[in-house]
Amino acid sequence: MRYLFLPALAACLLAGPAMAQSEEAEPRNRVVIVENIKLDYAQVLNVEPVFQTLRATRTEEHCEPVTTRNLPPVNVTGEEPVEEKGRFGRLWDSVRSIFKPGEEGSADVAAVPVGAQPSNAPILTRDCRIVPVGREFRRPIAYDVDYVYKGTKYRSRLPEDPGNRLKIRVSITPWVGAEQGSPANP
């Protein structure tokens, strides 16, 4: 019977110093320190926006302007244009029917229908090509704010521009350090 109590007694003797060490490591009085909070205003000195730069590329059609120097004049009145012919032109019109028996009168009447261009006239073609165009967009994502409160300057990054005054939260709590926990300090 004596041997049954021996392991229980040894366990109690070994657990005693371990419990004493764990109690000394923890503070004797557990006091929750309350944080003293008040709201106040600080004077804003400077506000600098922080920009996010976005880059995008898209393709656009770019066309060169069409020159009209090589184009024939356009008839907007609907009348047939009268050509001023020199001596050789008038002579040729008078003897043309001899060399080409199937034609009647001048060649101007049998020319091209109204509104259509002759086949040898230059056609308006635009010189276009697809070109990648880079775009850059900047938008403010935050604001670096310099402000002063009771003579001390601070800088914070805020999501919005605060204006001239910045509402701040002032928190005061007593410092409980290792040297303050000893009984010598009141």
Side-chain angles (χ1 to χ4, degrees):
M1 203 136 174
R2 196 184 298 178
Y3 297 111
L4 291 175
F5 291 111
L6 192 59
L9 182 65
C12 288
L13 290 175
L14 292 175
M19 290 176 65
Q21 287 178 355
S22 67
E23 287 179 9
E24 289 176 12
E26 295 179 16
R28 284 183 255 161
N29 296 330
R30 289 190 176 211
V31 176
V32 177
I33 299 173
V34 178
E35 186 176 21
N36 297 307
I37 298 172
K38 73 174 188 171
L39 297 177
D40 206 354
Y41 288 92
Q43 180 67 37
V44 174
L45 301 174
N46 188 25
V47 177
E48 296 175 10
V50 177
F51 290 103
Q52 178 185 31
T53 303
L54 302 171
R55 290 180 181 86
T57 304
R58 70 177 189 183
T59 56
E60 291 181 356
E61 181 181 31
H62 282 272
C63 299
E64 296 295 325
V66 177
T67 179
T68 57
R69 291 182 186 165
N70 299 334
L71 298 177
V74 177
N75 184 5
V76 292
T77 60
E79 300 174 1
E80 288 295 323
V82 178
E83 289 186 31
E84 291 186 24
K85 298 180 181 178
R87 286 184 188 172
F88 185 72
R90 286 191 299 247
L91 175 67
W92 176 251
D93 285 343
S94 65
V95 291
R96 183 184 308 188
S97 61
I98 297 171
F99 295 109
K100 295 184 183 178
E103 287 187 25
E104 292 180 14
S106 90
D108 293 338
V109 177
V112 181
V114 176
Q117 289 184 346
S119 62
N120 62 354
I123 300 173
L124 284 178
T125 57
R126 295 176 13 177
D127 184 18
C128 298
R129 61 183 185 270
I130 303 296
V131 178
V133 177
R135 301 281 171 115
E136 189 173 282
F137 303 98
R138 293 178 66 199
R139 65 176 184 161
I141 56 169
Y143 295 90
D144 286 336
V145 179
D146 296 328
Y147 56 98
V148 63
Y149 178 70
K150 294 200 176 187
T152 305
K153 292 181 184 179
Y154 299 96
R155 180 175 206 141
S156 297
R157 183 165 283 186
L158 301 174
E160 296 176 357
D161 186 354
N164 293 334
R165 293 185 346 157
L166 176 65
K167 191 172 187 177
I168 60 173
R169 177 181 176 258
V170 180
S171 169
I172 300 173
T173 54
W175 171 251
V176 179
E179 63 275 352
Q180 266 189 338
S182 63
N185 289 340

